[in-house]
Amino acid sequence: MTKKVVFLTGAGMSVESGFKTFRGNDGLWENYPVERVASHEGWLQDPVFVNNFYNGLRRKLWAAKPCEGHRLIAEMEKDYEVTVITQNVDDLHERAGSTHVIHLHGELSKACSSNDPDDKRYQVQLTPEHNDVKPGEKASDGSLLRPFIVFFGEAVPMMEYAAREAMEADVFVIIGTSLNVYPAAGLVSYVPQGCPIYLIDPNPVGCSSEVTAIHKGASEGMKELLKLI
């Protein structure tokens, strides 16, 4: 039977791709107050400012490329059943070739209805050629287009799906996340008893003794992981 490997990836996964993380030193939150660009209140107060912020961030995303770590995860699909649960809003896992990616916090490459963000009928796929959500631009339901991002304080609709995937893991791997962001950090508690858990991060992360820590970046850490499993 093919083993199921479930990854939980965070902002550190994309650092090697040149895509700035939200948290940490010189993170995006350092330059933009989170309440202005990632809260429902901020959206209501100034939707043009919020859309312009994500328009700019999206342009940086198109310039970024998957790192070796992204590619190694995708290549594991040759030998394993692989699910990627990501806290990241970029599409670098997909561009590397991963076919089963669950985005907990939304997708930067999409815009959506401000009345019903999760209704796929009103979601718009953005591209490098059609990157910007313009002031006053509307979804097909007549509401303003907004970033397809889970703002702080909003429900995480994919969490239940992600928890089911974690419960089925034969191997669980955490890459580039501080495990401080909930509810995503709580996914570890759904992993079956006895399932090996690996954590790849160059920085110290508080975790139990049952977790095997690999203190390297995403790409070098993935190379070591492949030797261990």
Side-chain angles (χ1 to χ4, degrees):
M1 181 182 246
T2 304
K3 279 188 177 182
K4 179 167 185 152
V5 183
V6 178
F7 287 88
L8 171 62
T9 67
M13 184 78 225
S14 300
V15 166
E16 293 173 34
S17 298
F19 196 61
K20 186 184 271 190
T21 63
F22 282 93
R23 297 172 186 274
N25 294 332
D26 196 33
L28 287 168
W29 298 149
E30 297 289 324
N31 302 318
Y32 294 89
V34 62
E35 63 273 8
R36 285 203 70 187
V37 297
S39 72
H40 190 65
E41 293 74 20
W43 163 258
L44 291 176
Q45 182 178 350
D46 196 342
V48 173
F49 182 87
V50 173
N51 271 330
N52 282 341
F53 170 80
Y54 289 97
N55 288 343
L57 187 57
R58 207 174 291 117
R59 282 189 284 272
K60 294 178 182 177
L61 173 58
W62 306 135
K65 295 181 180 179
C67 69
E68 188 174 8
H70 289 108
R71 291 190 290 272
L72 289 173
I73 291 173
E75 288 172 8
M76 287 183 69
E77 293 189 12
K78 297 174 184 175
D79 301 305
Y80 302 93
E81 180 185 349
V82 178
T83 296
V84 178
I85 303 167
T86 185
Q87 296 170 266
N88 299 336
V89 297
D90 61 59
D91 63 349
L92 295 171
H93 281 297
E94 288 92 339
R95 280 198 261 157
S98 289
T99 60
H100 189 196
V101 183
I102 300 170
H103 285 270
L104 291 179
H105 296 156
E107 298 176 62
L108 181 59
S109 61
K110 295 180 180 178
C112 60
S113 159
S114 51
N115 283 342
D116 192 352
D118 299 311
D119 193 323
K120 293 184 179 180
R121 294 176 299 172
Y122 310 129
Q123 292 174 3
V124 177
Q125 181 69 50
L126 300 166
T127 66
E129 295 74 27
H130 299 92
N131 175 81
D132 289 3
V133 176
K134 296 178 174 57
E137 189 171 354
K138 294 183 178 180
S140 56
D141 67 347
S143 69
L144 286 176
L145 273 177
R146 59 160 267 188
F148 183 50
I149 301 293
V150 178
F151 289 151
F152 282 90
E154 293 182 332
V156 180
M158 298 301 289
M159 188 63 196
E160 186 176 340
Y161 181 27
R164 289 199 301 269
E165 292 292 310
M167 290 171 69
E168 297 175 357
D170 295 307
V171 179
F172 194 79
V173 185
I174 305 159
I175 304 180
T177 174
S178 63
L179 293 179
N180 288 327
V181 180
Y182 284 84
L187 285 170
V188 178
S189 65
Y190 290 94
V191 175
Q193 189 172 4
C195 170
I197 301 174
Y198 297 89
L199 188 148
I200 298 172
D201 199 291
N203 302 309
V205 177
C207 57
S208 72
S209 58
E210 299 174 356
V211 175
T212 300
I214 300 173
H215 295 297
K216 294 183 178 180
S219 296
E220 291 303 314
M222 275 300 302
K223 290 178 186 177
E224 185 164 334
L225 174 76
L226 292 172
K227 297 176 184 176
L228 297 174
I229 65 172

